[in-house]
Amino acid sequence: MISTRRQMVCLFILAAAASLVFFVANRPRILIIQSQSAESTRSREFKAGWSRALNEKHILAKVSWHSLEQDLHPGFETQTLGALRTIELEDPDLIVLVDDLANDRIGRTLASVKTTSLLFVGIDQSPDYYGYIGNDQISGIVEQLRLEPFHELISILFPESKLKYGVIGIDNPSGRARMNQLKNCSWSQHVLSDSALVDNFTDWKKFIEDHRDVDVLLVLNTAPMMEKKGGESEIVPLREVINWTEVNSRPVPIGIEAGYVTNGGGLAIEQSPRRFGEMAAIRTKEWLNPKPILAQDMHAMEFQVAICLSRLSERKLDVPSIYVESARLSGTLFP
């Protein structure tokens, strides 16, 4: 009798172990490819939001990460080939592409493969720019530029009823997409005085020097390196570009990416990458359902602030404590 009971217990344990092994081996495989390096603030915040929602939603999946490191390298060919190789080796059930560069480099190739499930996150371009429309295996979250948070903070720093904005950015797909969005934004009582997308440091400086009459300078995007002059091989590092901008811009420069501050700027307001991570996990949970309901026009509404206190002190700007604490909580407050 005892021997029979032991046999039953052993069979139960073996069956449970076999079931666990089968479950682990057959969990959905999810590969997340981020445009920026894993150590960047944006990537860390996205991963924190993803992990939090993953635990809250009890998503059972095997998740792996890959970075294209666009913030570290001016060229992306090696990183792109590495990502494609990772996809080939891991054969994921769902590929999550974060930000425009990952979608541009990887998504265009995958869009033509109708059996590949893809989730795009935080893109400035419309989904059809990458060939995503018409493929029911693809869905995602669009990053829609909104100016209300900028107007709100600027109205505190500068109580004037009407302010003139200048806008500068890099002439690349992301910059062009943001510029198109920006021109359709609500400017409230303020005005867009002038804007430019440039591809070299000489033109960048010229725009800023020619627009000393504006009150606020919005920096749409940046690049790891910039040509010193159009058509020449000499390049200027991002930190040098931002430092020159902070020192020489009469209007207050404000970045639309937190990376503007992590690379030496004073102030930036961007849509929350942590919230993008949470929303991506929620969309993944829906995808795991037997009958997923995915939306292509989701937008993140939350924002995060990045602040360098010494840069703002140089301009004698006193940012309200709620913004300082918000930056501190998101890890984007610098002395």
Side-chain angles (χ1 to χ4, degrees), residues 29-317:
R29 299 179 305 279
I30 300 172
L31 174 62
I32 302 176
I33 300 177
Q34 295 179 293
S35 296
Q36 296 191 10
S37 61
E39 295 75 25
S40 70
T41 301
R42 187 170 178 86
S43 292
R44 287 189 286 105
E45 284 290 294
F46 179 91
K47 191 170 186 177
W50 167 277
S51 300
R52 175 183 175 183
L54 197 77
N55 293 329
E56 289 182 352
K57 300 296 179 181
H58 306 292
I59 300 173
L60 301 175
K62 180 181 181 297
V63 182
S64 54
W65 299 76
H66 187 92
S67 301
L68 294 179
E69 301 184 334
Q70 77 166 96
D71 51 326
L72 300 180
H73 305 285
F76 311 107
E77 289 76 12
T78 301
Q79 288 74 19
T80 301
L81 291 174
L84 293 172
R85 180 60 175 162
T86 300
I87 293 172
E88 181 182 353
L89 291 173
E90 297 199 8
D91 188 26
D93 299 296
L94 175 66
I95 300 171
V96 181
L97 299 177
V98 185
D99 295 336
D100 281 87
L101 184 123
N103 284 272
D104 190 42
R105 296 280 171 165
I106 309 299
R108 291 184 184 279
T109 302
L110 302 179
S112 60
V113 183
K114 298 296 184 181
T115 57
T116 301
S117 295
L118 188 153
L119 181 69
F120 59 82
V121 184
I123 60 173
D124 297 305
Q125 296 281 2
S126 62
D128 61 342
Y129 178 82
Y130 301 109
Y132 293 160
I133 300 300
N135 188 338
D136 58 9
Q137 295 292 321
I138 299 176
S139 183
I141 305 159
V142 176
E143 183 168 359
Q144 182 65 47
L145 180 61
R146 292 170 50 237
L147 291 179
E148 290 86 347
F150 295 90
H151 294 330
E152 182 178 343
L153 177 55
I154 288 299
S155 67
I156 296 173
L157 298 177
F158 304 100
E160 293 88 346
S161 59
K162 186 175 182 178
L163 298 172
K164 292 197 296 183
Y165 281 71
V167 180
I168 185 72
I170 304 296
D171 189 7
N172 59 19
S174 178
R176 290 190 287 273
R178 289 183 180 179
M179 188 68 79
N180 288 335
Q181 289 186 19
L182 184 143
K183 290 181 177 179
N184 292 319
C185 286
S186 170
W187 288 92
S188 186
Q189 74 271 25
H190 309 299
V191 295
L192 172 58
S193 177
D194 199 2
S195 61
L197 295 175
V198 302
D199 60 7
N200 63 82
F201 191 33
T202 299
D203 290 345
W204 179 283
K205 292 193 294 185
K206 186 177 187 307
F207 179 87
I208 293 174
E209 289 169 342
D210 289 348
H211 294 83
R212 298 181 61 82
D213 61 322
V214 300
D215 303 296
V216 181
L217 178 71
L218 291 185
V219 180
L220 281 185
N221 62 340
T222 55
M225 298 286 182
M226 184 186 294
E227 288 184 355
K228 186 171 184 178
K229 194 173 183 179
E232 295 186 358
S233 59
E234 187 176 357
I235 57 175
V236 183
L238 175 58
R239 281 190 172 273
E240 185 176 331
V241 173
I242 292 178
N243 183 66
W244 186 94
T245 302
E246 287 288 329
V247 171
N248 294 278
S249 175
R250 192 207 65 79
V252 177
I254 303 180
I256 292 179
E257 299 173 341
Y260 177 77
V261 174
T262 58
N263 284 284
L267 180 62
I269 303 176
E270 73 171 355
Q271 286 188 280
S272 170
R274 183 180 290 258
R275 180 55 180 157
F276 276 126
E278 293 173 352
M279 294 175 70
I282 292 170
R283 290 293 154 267
T284 298
K285 176 71 171 180
E286 293 180 355
W287 175 81
L288 292 172
N289 290 336
K291 293 182 179 180
I293 302 174
L294 297 175
Q296 286 204 344
D297 59 350
M298 293 298 297
H299 301 277
M301 304 299 288
E302 293 85 352
F303 288 81
Q304 76 172 25
V305 183
I307 295 173
C308 177
L309 294 173
S310 58
R311 284 292 194 191
L312 296 188
S313 177
E314 290 170 0
R315 291 182 176 271
K316 297 181 172 52
L317 292 178

